[in-house]
Amino acid sequence: MGPRLLLAVCLILLVLGCVVQGSHLPQNDEPASPALLTKVQESLSSYWDSAKAAAQGLYNNTYLTAVDEKIRY
């Protein structure tokens, strides 16, 4: 046996061993990321709500000032 053939056989056996070990692992039907997705959605919703409130406050301040100026003149 040449060194290349011996190396190829060892690699094939290594890959087959990994495949066999992987087949014995329990497989989960549920993905593990819904909790992460929920956290990200809540975080984005919170940022969106705070940005919307800030924009509404700026609009109200600008609008009231403009209306007051028009009424005074």
Side-chain angles (χ1 to χ4, degrees), residues 57-68:
L58 289 173
Y59 175 76
N60 288 339
N61 290 340
T62 304
Y63 178 74
L64 294 176
T65 305
V67 170
D68 287 340

Side-chain angles (χ1 to χ4, degrees), residues 31-50:
S33 62
L36 177 64
L37 180 61
T38 303
K39 288 180 183 179
V40 169
Q41 286 176 337
E42 290 173 356
S43 177
L44 289 175
S45 176
S46 172
Y47 288 136
W48 177 255
D49 290 340
S50 64

Side-chain angles (χ1 to χ4, degrees), residues 6-34:
L6 184 61
L7 180 63
V9 170
C10 288
L11 287 176
I12 290 172
L13 290 176
L14 181 66
V15 169
L16 288 176
C18 290
V19 170
V20 169
Q21 275 187 334
S23 66
H24 291 297
L25 295 176
Q27 295 185 6
N28 296 336
D29 292 336
E30 301 175 20
S33 62

Side-chain angles (χ1 to χ4, degrees), residues 1-7:
M1 261 194 214
R4 288 186 183 180
L5 182 61
L6 184 61
L7 180 63

